[in-house]
Amino acid sequence: MKNTIFVFKEGIPKYKQIYEQLKLYIENGNIPVNEQLPSIRQLADSLSVSRNTTLNAYEQLLAEGYIYSEGRKGYFVTEFEQSLFTNISSPVISNETDVVEHVIDFRAGAVDQQHFPLKIWRRISNHILTLKNSYQYGDPFGEECLREQISSYLFQSRGVNTNTNNIIIGSGTQQMLINLGKLLKEDFSSVIVEDPGYVGAREAFKFHDLSLESLPIFESGTDFSNLDLLMSRLIYVTPSHQSPLGVSMAIPERLRLIHWNNSRQGFIIEDDYDSEFRYTQKPFPALASLDSTRVIYLGNFSKSFLPGIRISYMVLPELLINQYKEQFHSFECTASLPNQLAMAKFMKEGEWNRHIKRMRLIYKRKMHCIVSELRSHFQQTVTIIGDQSGLFVLVKVHLNQSEEWLIKQASLHGVKVYPTSVYSIKNNSDEPIIKLGFSNLTYAEIKLGICLLKEAWS
Amino acid sequence: MKNTIFVFKEGIPKYKQIYEQLKLYIENGNIPVNEQLPSIRQLADSLSVSRNTTLNAYEQLLAEGYIYSEGRKGYFVTEFEQSLFTNISSPVISNETDVVEHVIDFRAGAVDQQHFPLKIWRRISNHILTLKNSYQYGDPFGEECLREQISSYLFQSRGVNTNTNNIIIGSGTQQMLINLGKLLKEDFSSVIVEDPGYVGAREAFKFHDLSLESLPIFESGTDFSNLDLLMSRLIYVTPSHQSPLGVSMAIPERLRLIHWNNSRQGFIIEDDYDSEFRYTQKPFPALASLDSTRVIYLGNFSKSFLPGIRISYMVLPELLINQYKEQFHSFECTASLPNQLAMAKFMKEGEWNRHIKRMRLIYKRKMHCIVSELRSHFQQTVTIIGDQSGLFVLVKVHLNQSEEWLIKQASLHGVKVYPTSVYSIKNNSDEPIIKLGFSNLTYAEIKLGICLLKEAWS
């Protein structure tokens, strides 16, 4: 540490630069484990910065577990296993250009890094790169070995009886909806979407200038009362776990929807984006398992494996598959070929089932943790919505404050929380509903976050 | 020319500096049209460099059409209205799957597996999976760290002066063309495509129901004679290395095309899909380097790294970038996030440049091998097209046999060769042209393949 030279850059807070530099030294082993760091005052003096600056840097390192404090003795470098090191959480980096540094970010859409099967995935990925197939162009509709695995997984886990020929692999729900829309817009000029619902799907339908009709969703479930008054014969739904309200469609509703659709000769687009993570019962069967004649089933590996892997799939009914293949046979598959091959092997070796099982338990515990924290801090001030499945929970806040105020207050207390009003077309909630993702937070972070939220909203 | 002073910089080959300087003089009109350049010896002496150095510089200028040679008289500056030079080089991919087991498959679209930087790529990929970023959703327009690397690569290697903000990362040329088409179809109802040309691009334009006009391409180059008669203001071209005929657009042609496009207020879509592999000279500068106001530049890592990695990019001009971002800000990026991060690190560490350099040499040797084999076995029976660049070569077969017969005969002898007629709209070759990819074949395989081909066609 004695020879450490800091050259401060312009435009970046000094505490952050100190923090970054120290982190790097620790990661690279330049500062040995259990070595004592200079005191806050010593470091401040030697760098000619304020004590507050060095204090902030140390606090950040402390919070992230790079160092530990021994009361009055000072700060020491944490003992860690090199490979595990990066699993110790650091602040979530958000896409939004945001000036505020948040201590806790309740962003949904990340997965638990600590329990990712890193070693197994590395082994498989490394092996895949020795195969000749990895050096060529792949199948335009996705690698057959992966389609096989998906097919048997869907049968076991979702009751969907399909075959490799009807599965199309793509690189995300929206990318697949764009392709699908090309086909469907020949026969359909509008589509029914959930309100509130997944914005990404709506945007993909707008890509093809399909007009939108809306199906109201409430905390109590989907409102089917006006279904027969809607003009469209195409409907996009998230029946297993509605996005964002978290409700699930019960069997009578599912059957009703299928019947309605069949009688209209329409198509249901079933987005089953995170059905793996249901905590109270086993996952509900997919619509496509009840009657797949006119159901287009969409799934992906974003929530269950890695959002960035960009592998998704759809199961097309017999009525569409040939037309789809004719339309897209000269289009390259957009999903990474080595990743597809690795995922196929990962599934074939049984690792996928083990991973899902493990993660379900972990996320269940985290869900339980956030729900208890919310209950104990807020009691009747909030209503918890959607705590039976998924990687986020919603809270309806009975404080007579706007969504904007709630988010802003949280932010001022170092907590980033998310709105749900953005998902609505016209079916707005009477009281604000806040979205809290927790998948990549530790229990300690969840607890701290809810505690800070309590302060923020008091 | 007499007062020309060259001050050589460190670290850049001298021939390249001479070439750049002369190019600049010619472009700026400092050396008048048809003026004779100093001889190779004179220039070498006056600059105190070897004759080989000045020869290389002249050859590059000659190949790109800046100068012409008049036999023993010497070298002269090209008149820019004329299209004097065209360079023969080569083309791209094929998706077909086939049941027959072939001994040798001259399929294009694979890359050399043996020289893939497996260890380095593994190390980097493994590291990437320890980063927190890998467990989240990424930037909808691609990771900034990769856009930064692409930006500096494009500047160094292709002369394209852009910035991270104008680069969009996608998962393949077609996927990007589909997105781009959404924007362009507002103002354009048709597009000019090369004939013969890349089928994938035509399909992507058809996705948006754009009608196609065709620009005839011959072994001798692009036929611009009817350019002014075409109605479209949108044109898709592969100027560095035409797909599939392998010709390169000389500078006068490039300037003419840009001028034509600017006067029409149209857009040129420049697909620079494999410009890294030019064997006789350094890669030609991109159209987008000459004038990027109305040029949309497309590039990818398929030929130069791995076809299956599905990372591509486009550089959008200022006229389009904001509109594009507005349209697509709620769409997820379709390229794998860990792969993007790994590629960024691979480039940042200098591995990308080393890889390209190494592969250029390897492919050059393979090209040399296949060309010598073809010459020695077939002599005047075939004409070799496109042997100056790319990962395949074309042979025009003077045997009075159909393309179909040639492919079938080859197949019966265990050799899979590929048609080029599929690339044509109406501009069909008078004699069949067969496509032979060699990138993932060993020298022995290439030799055996050509030997078998000789038998098959005898």
Side-chain angles (χ1 to χ4, degrees), chain A residues 116-265:
Chain A
F116 184 78
L118 194 58
K119 271 178 78 173
I120 297 163
W121 184 250
R122 274 177 175 170
R123 172 179 57 75
I124 292 176
S125 296
N126 288 345
H127 168 74
I128 289 303
L129 280 176
T130 64
L131 304 178
K132 188 158 184 163
N133 279 359
S134 293
Y135 296 84
Q136 303 175 347
Y137 278 92
D139 184 313
F141 304 116
E143 292 312 288
E144 189 165 12
C145 56
L146 180 57
R147 288 187 277 117
E148 266 167 25
Q149 292 301 321
I150 290 171
S151 167
S152 69
Y153 165 70
L154 286 179
F155 183 63
Q156 287 160 37
S157 156
R158 313 293 301 120
V160 179
N161 197 349
T162 185
N163 60 69
T164 55
N165 189 47
N166 289 55
I167 296 174
I168 307 285
I169 291 169
S171 56
T173 301
Q174 291 177 301
Q175 185 269 327
M176 293 189 311
L177 287 177
I178 285 177
N179 281 12
L180 187 63
K182 170 69 182 163
L183 234 65
L184 295 176
K185 75 171 181 178
E186 299 297 317
D187 293 318
F188 302 89
S189 59
S190 66
V191 57
I192 300 163
V193 294
E194 296 170 323
D195 178 19
Y198 174 41
V199 180
R202 294 208 290 263
E203 290 297 318
F205 296 128
K206 283 188 205 159
F207 184 97
H208 289 295
D209 304 315
L210 293 176
S211 60
L212 304 181
E213 286 190 288
S214 64
L215 181 70
I217 313 279
F218 298 97
E219 299 151 53
S220 50
T222 307
D223 175 8
F224 282 111
S225 59
N226 289 321
L227 197 60
D228 291 325
L229 298 178
L230 296 172
M231 303 298 292
S232 309
R233 298 178 301 117
L234 196 60
I235 185 167
Y236 168 86
V237 283
T238 52
S240 297
H241 183 215
Q242 203 272 332
S243 167
L245 286 186
V247 292
S248 298
M249 225 179 263
I251 292 297
E253 294 174 318
R254 289 177 188 236
L255 292 173
R256 180 177 171 189
L257 187 62
I258 286 171
H259 180 74
W260 168 86
N261 177 61
N262 286 349
S263 70
R264 285 196 172 197
Q265 305 262 294

Side-chain angles (χ1 to χ4, degrees), chain B residues 43-88:
Chain B
L43 187 62
D45 290 349
S46 76
L47 296 172
S48 310
V49 297
S50 79
R51 291 181 198 175
N52 218 26
T53 302
T54 49
L55 175 65
N56 283 341
Y58 277 13
E59 296 239 314
Q60 181 78 28
L61 290 166
L62 200 62
E64 291 185 25
Y66 283 95
I67 61 172
Y68 61 95
S69 141
E70 285 250 301
R72 297 188 154 225
K73 276 196 209 159
Y75 298 96
F76 302 80
V77 175
T78 306
E79 211 172 307
F80 271 35
E81 288 73 38
Q82 300 168 334
S83 52
L84 285 164
F85 288 94
T86 43
N87 289 280
I88 300 165

Side-chain angles (χ1 to χ4, degrees), chain A residues 185-402:
Chain A
K185 75 171 181 178
E186 299 297 317
D187 293 318
F188 302 89
S189 59
S190 66
V191 57
I192 300 163
V193 294
E194 296 170 323
D195 178 19
Y198 174 41
V199 180
R202 294 208 290 263
E203 290 297 318
F205 296 128
K206 283 188 205 159
F207 184 97
H208 289 295
D209 304 315
L210 293 176
S211 60
L212 304 181
E213 286 190 288
S214 64
L215 181 70
I217 313 279
F218 298 97
E219 299 151 53
S220 50
T222 307
D223 175 8
F224 282 111
S225 59
N226 289 321
L227 197 60
D228 291 325
L229 298 178
L230 296 172
M231 303 298 292
S232 309
R233 298 178 301 117
L234 196 60
I235 185 167
Y236 168 86
V237 283
T238 52
S240 297
H241 183 215
Q242 203 272 332
S243 167
L245 286 186
V247 292
S248 298
M249 225 179 263
I251 292 297
E253 294 174 318
R254 289 177 188 236
L255 292 173
R256 180 177 171 189
L257 187 62
I258 286 171
H259 180 74
W260 168 86
N261 177 61
N262 286 349
S263 70
R264 285 196 172 197
Q265 305 262 294
F267 285 107
I268 298 171
I269 303 171
E270 175 181 27
D271 189 354
D272 206 27
Y273 64 101
D274 78 345
S275 57
E276 289 88 1
F277 303 121
R278 186 158 187 90
Y279 310 124
T280 41
Q281 302 88 18
K282 72 183 193 73
F284 289 6
L287 282 177
S289 74
L290 302 171
D291 180 353
S292 64
T293 337
R294 292 189 156 273
V295 177
I296 298 156
Y297 177 93
L298 306 184
N300 66 67
F301 293 95
S302 300
K303 306 290 177 290
S304 47
F305 192 69
L306 268 188
I309 198 173
R310 305 280 81 209
I311 300 181
S312 58
Y313 49 91
M314 58 184 166
V315 183
L316 290 182
E318 288 300 329
L319 288 165
L320 291 174
I321 188 70
N322 292 334
Q323 203 188 333
Y324 186 92
K325 292 199 170 174
E326 202 171 305
Q327 171 72 44
F328 289 104
H329 73 274
S330 26
F331 285 79
E332 296 294 339
C333 183
T334 54
S336 155
L337 175 61
N339 286 353
Q340 283 185 67
L341 297 173
M343 183 53 79
K345 195 170 161 64
F346 186 76
M347 292 176 95
K348 194 171 186 180
E349 291 185 0
E351 295 296 345
W352 168 254
N353 282 334
R354 276 190 280 280
H355 175 65
I356 290 300
K357 219 170 145 183
R358 186 171 53 237
M359 294 319 293
R360 192 181 291 131
L361 199 64
I362 286 158
Y363 290 141
K364 184 180 180 170
R365 285 188 193 136
K366 287 190 180 183
M367 177 65 96
H368 186 252
C369 171
I370 194 167
V371 168
S372 340
E373 291 300 311
L374 283 165
R375 289 225 170 96
S376 80
H377 281 90
F378 288 98
Q379 279 115 25
Q380 308 306 317
T381 340
V382 303
T383 303
I384 293 164
I385 305 169
D387 57 340
Q388 302 198 355
S389 62
L391 309 185
F392 63 87
V393 70
L394 301 182
V395 285
K396 192 170 198 171
V397 188
H398 318 301
L399 284 169
N400 205 18
Q401 296 285 2
S402 69

Side-chain angles (χ1 to χ4, degrees), chain B residues 343-408:
Chain B
M343 183 53 79
K345 196 169 159 66
F346 187 76
M347 292 176 95
K348 193 170 185 182
E349 291 184 359
E351 295 298 342
W352 168 254
N353 281 334
R354 277 190 280 281
H355 175 65
I356 290 301
K357 217 171 147 183
R358 185 170 55 236
M359 295 319 295
R360 192 181 290 131
L361 199 65
I362 286 159
Y363 290 140
K364 183 180 181 169
R365 286 187 192 135
K366 288 191 180 181
M367 176 64 95
H368 186 252
C369 171
I370 195 168
V371 168
S372 336
E373 291 301 310
L374 284 165
R375 290 227 170 94
S376 80
H377 281 90
F378 288 98
Q379 278 113 27
Q380 308 305 317
T381 340
V382 303
T383 304
I384 293 163
I385 305 169
D387 60 339
Q388 300 195 1
S389 62
L391 309 185
F392 65 88
V393 69
L394 301 181
V395 285
K396 192 170 199 170
V397 188
H398 318 299
L399 283 169
N400 207 16
Q401 296 286 2
S402 70
E403 185 184 79
E404 201 188 343
W405 184 91
L406 294 168
I407 292 169
K408 194 168 176 195

